[in-house]
């Protein structure tokens, strides 16, 4: 496989991966709906930054440790699961709180959504294992492995930015409909439940090799 063929094949595979619904998509959509475009963009930026860190780790070989070491995987898995459970519980608590505030009176929850997006991505061991197993398939012989792997990670990041921007713009098109307490509570309920389910599955899963 030459460089051009590798890039074309990777772009197709990474593009399909990017638009496949998952935790990242749910997080960005929920943030855009409940807290606005700016915070959603921050969350998206954090997710993309996490992907770049995982790409660098895979490129320099750190990701191989995660793929091979049961202890490293277990530690990261538990930390990620607990974080998702905590984040999901916070959303559910917000959705089911007794006070039904008017939109004009409601104060958005405090927190740096860039950090939340970054940590959510970085504490997911499956992302690290995915990068370790996925990127090498598209690195042609004779190229600088680290540089080319980082190029592939950067391409994936750009696709992620474009996809998240499209999602955020789509929510702005129906802003009046979404800017209702009942819709925001529903988004918090759904996303919080999804996050807690992801966390529970991650915590309870047994790794197979």
């Amino acid at each position: 496989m030459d460089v051009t063929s590798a890039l074309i094949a990777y772009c197709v595979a990474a593009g399909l991966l990017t638009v496949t619904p998952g935790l990242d998509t749910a997080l960005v959509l929920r943030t855009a709906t409940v807290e606005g475009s700016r915070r959603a963009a921050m969350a998206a930026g954090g997710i993309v930054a996490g992907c770049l860190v995982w790409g660098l780790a895979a490129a320099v070989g750190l990701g191989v440790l995660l793929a091979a070491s049961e202890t490293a995987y277990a530690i990261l898995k538990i930390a990620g699961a607990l974080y998702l459970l905590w984040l999901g519980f916070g959303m559910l608590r917000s959705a089911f709180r007794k006070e039904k505030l008017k939109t004009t009176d409601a104060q958005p929850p405090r927190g740096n959504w860039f950090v939340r997006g970054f940590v959510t991505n970085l504490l997911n061991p499956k992302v690290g294992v995915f990068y370790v197993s996925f990127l090498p398939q598209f690195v042609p012989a004779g190229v600088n492995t680290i540089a080319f792997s980082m190029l592939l990670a950067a391409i994936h990041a750009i696709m992620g930015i474009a996809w998240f921007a499209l999602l955020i713009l789509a929510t702005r098109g129906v802003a009046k409909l979404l800017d209702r307490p009942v819709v925001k509570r529903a988004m918090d309920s759904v996303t919080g439940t999804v996050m807690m389910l992801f966390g529970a599955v991650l915590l309870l899963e047994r790794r197979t090799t």
Side-chain angles (χ1 to χ4, degrees):
M1 182 184 297
D2 58 23
V3 172
T4 302
S5 299
L7 288 175
I8 293 174
Y10 175 79
C11 286
V12 173
L16 292 174
L17 174 69
T18 300
V19 301
T20 300
L23 184 61
D24 293 343
T25 298
L27 183 63
V28 172
L29 279 175
R30 176 266 167 199
T31 309
T33 303
V34 178
E35 302 190 36
S37 300
R38 181 174 176 275
R39 287 183 172 84
M42 292 173 63
I47 292 168
V48 170
C51 288
L52 289 175
V53 171
W54 276 122
L56 177 61
V60 301
L62 296 177
V64 177
L65 174 64
L66 176 63
S69 171
E70 291 289 342
T71 301
Y73 185 91
I75 291 173
L76 193 60
K77 181 187 76 169
I78 293 172
L82 292 178
Y83 180 76
L84 288 176
L85 289 170
W86 172 78
L87 199 59
F89 176 76
M91 291 181 183
L92 288 175
R93 183 179 59 182
S94 175
F96 290 105
R97 61 186 176 180
K98 294 181 180 179
E99 300 84 7
K100 295 183 178 180
L101 301 176
K102 295 181 179 179
T103 303
T104 54
D105 297 330
Q107 297 296 322
R110 295 181 179 182
N112 189 321
W113 272 103
F114 180 88
V115 173
R116 291 184 182 182
F118 180 73
V119 174
T120 298
N121 186 276
L122 204 61
L123 288 181
N124 188 347
K126 292 184 177 181
V127 177
V129 173
F130 167 78
Y131 265 88
V132 171
S133 61
F134 187 67
L135 292 187
Q137 300 180 44
F138 299 94
V139 178
V143 301
N144 185 301
T145 302
I146 294 179
F148 199 82
S149 296
M150 285 307 300
L151 172 63
L152 297 182
I155 291 173
H156 187 209
I158 292 171
M159 289 181 175
I161 291 172
W163 174 242
F164 291 140
L166 183 62
L167 291 177
I168 294 170
L169 287 174
T171 62
R172 294 187 66 178
V174 289
K176 290 184 178 180
L177 174 63
L178 298 177
D179 192 23
R180 298 178 180 179
V182 64
V183 176
K184 293 183 177 182
R185 286 196 297 272
M187 286 299 297
D188 268 342
S189 299
V190 172
T191 310
T193 300
V194 169
M195 285 194 167
M196 293 195 73
L197 286 175
F198 267 96
V201 170
L202 188 61
L203 188 63
L204 297 174
E205 82 165 354
R206 293 185 177 180
R207 188 180 183 186
T208 57
T209 56

